[in-house]
């Protein structure tokens, strides 16, 4: 069974999906997260001057859940909750009990376009996010006259065990390809790969989305494929398409 490295935290969805297609998923988390400004977040969640909230990352959802109380924040039951991807939508339902819009839109850029079309120019949205957030979404919304109240609720750092994990991958795992899930993860991984002689850099590189793909290309590495949507099935399709094409050309 071919082994595929997924640079993300352990996911049963991905593990199951890859196993069903005869791949073994090997998970390596390149990032660590520190939650901050939770008191300010709690206070903002009690305000009633927002039309909705934007939660585009699992960490932002987790940050909100750390100060969430269904009875305390009933005002959010009637407000719009936007996200990207099915996994995040499920996480919002499980952790916050709220129904989210945007699980099929695929990217923050698409989300921003839909939000601009659906909401009045006078709308105001809360945006809990990380310190390395992309400015694409708030910029598009602000150009449409929609107010975005961004609050940094977590900081992204390099996993202190990343180099050790990469050396183990290089020496013992023998994967057929690697899948990257964030621009910051790409940067930390390549920073460590440059510190030792490795076979990993020449493996096919796949990305969960365009921003991650652009980061890999900026590091001087060719992209083998980009998932059409941020979900396990789309990642597998990208990987299988690459190897089918490779076999057909050989």
């Amino acid at each position: 069974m071919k082994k595929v490295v997924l640079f993300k935290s352990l996911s049963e969805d991905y593990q199951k999906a890859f196993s069903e297609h005869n791949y073994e998923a090997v998970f390596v988390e390149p990032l660590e997260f520190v939650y901050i400004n939770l008191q300010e977040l709690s206070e903002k969640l009690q305000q009633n001057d927002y039309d909705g909230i934007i939660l585009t990352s699992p960490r932002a959802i987790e940050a909100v859940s750390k100060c969430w109380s269904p009875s305390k924040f009933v005002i959010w039951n009637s407000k719009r909750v936007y996200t990207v991807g099915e996994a995040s939508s499920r996480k919002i339902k499980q952790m916050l009990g709220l129904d989210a819009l945007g699980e099929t839109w695929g990217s923050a850029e698409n989300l921003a376009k839909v939000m601009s079309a659906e909401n009045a120019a006078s709308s105001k949205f809360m945006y809990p996010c990380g310190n390395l957030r992309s400015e694409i979404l708030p910029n598009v919304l602000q150009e449409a006259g929609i107010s975005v109240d961004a609050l940094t609720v977590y900081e992204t750092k390099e996993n202190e065990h990343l180099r050790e994990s990469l050396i183990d991958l290089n020496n013992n795992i023998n994967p057929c390809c690697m899948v990257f899930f964030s621009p910051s993860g790409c940067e930390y991984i390549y920073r460590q790969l440059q510190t030792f002689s490795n076979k990993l850099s020449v493996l096919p590189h796949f990305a969960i989305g365009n921003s991650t793909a652009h980061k890999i290309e900026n590091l001087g590495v060719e992209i083998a494929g980009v998932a059409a949507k941020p979900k396990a099935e789309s990642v597998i399709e990208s990987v299988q398409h690459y190897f089918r094409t490779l076999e057909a050309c050989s």
Side-chain angles (χ1 to χ4, degrees):
M1 185 181 288
K2 289 183 177 180
K3 297 178 180 179
V4 178
V5 178
L6 305 177
F7 286 113
K8 71 184 308 297
S9 57
L10 178 64
S11 164
E12 291 183 2
D13 287 349
Y14 276 85
Q15 194 169 43
K16 179 182 177 186
F18 272 82
S19 177
E20 289 174 349
H21 289 80
N22 203 35
Y23 288 97
E24 179 183 346
V26 179
F27 296 91
V28 174
E29 175 57 88
L31 309 174
E32 290 183 356
F33 303 96
V34 178
Y35 295 98
I36 60 174
N37 298 326
L38 295 185
Q39 179 59 40
E40 184 177 355
L41 174 61
S42 179
E43 292 171 359
K44 285 180 177 292
L45 286 168
Q46 296 177 63
Q47 298 175 16
N48 200 23
D49 57 344
Y50 295 104
D51 294 285
I53 189 169
I54 306 167
L55 298 169
T56 57
S57 77
R59 309 306 166 213
I61 299 167
E62 289 166 12
V64 171
S65 74
K66 289 180 179 296
C67 49
W68 187 258
S69 170
S71 59
K72 191 175 181 181
F73 301 131
V74 291
I75 56 173
W76 290 99
N77 293 333
S78 59
K79 297 180 184 293
R80 290 187 170 183
V81 181
Y82 286 99
T83 191
V84 176
E86 294 177 9
S88 291
S89 182
R90 287 198 304 270
K91 199 176 187 76
I92 290 169
K93 186 65 175 179
Q94 292 167 356
M95 302 188 84
L96 308 179
L98 300 175
D99 294 317
L101 303 166
E103 65 177 31
T104 62
W105 295 338
S107 70
E109 187 173 6
N110 289 341
L111 172 62
K113 291 176 181 177
V114 174
M115 287 186 64
S116 298
E118 289 185 348
N119 295 278
S122 58
S123 301
K124 180 180 180 181
F125 285 85
M126 190 195 303
Y127 182 35
C129 52
N131 61 312
L132 301 179
R133 73 176 185 268
S134 166
E135 295 301 325
I136 293 175
L137 187 144
N139 286 347
V140 172
L141 293 179
Q142 287 167 1
E143 286 175 4
I146 296 172
S147 176
V148 179
D149 185 10
L151 174 66
T152 302
V153 294
Y154 68 92
E155 294 179 341
T156 304
K157 299 182 178 181
E158 180 182 321
N159 189 322
E160 61 179 338
H161 302 296
L162 179 58
R163 187 173 189 273
E164 177 184 331
S165 297
L166 291 172
I167 291 174
D168 182 53
L169 283 176
N170 186 71
N171 296 341
N172 304 314
I173 305 302
N174 193 31
C176 68
C177 63
M178 304 190 295
V179 184
F180 297 78
F181 287 79
S182 71
S184 54
C186 298
E187 185 173 339
Y188 296 143
I189 290 161
Y190 262 82
R191 183 184 301 170
Q192 292 300 344
L193 287 178
Q194 291 170 1
T195 67
F196 66 96
S197 178
N198 70 85
K199 301 171 286 187
L200 301 174
S201 300
V202 298
L203 292 175
H205 288 40
F206 297 86
I208 190 65
N210 289 327
S211 60
T212 301
H214 293 328
K215 181 63 179 181
I216 294 172
E217 290 173 333
N218 289 340
L219 291 168
V221 183
E222 187 176 344
I223 283 289
V226 182
K229 294 182 180 180
K231 52 193 291 188
E233 290 77 10
S234 294
V235 173
I236 292 170
E237 287 173 7
S238 181
V239 171
Q240 289 184 313
H241 175 74
Y242 172 82
F243 284 111
R244 280 197 301 266
T245 304
L246 198 65
E247 291 173 3
C249 295
S250 61

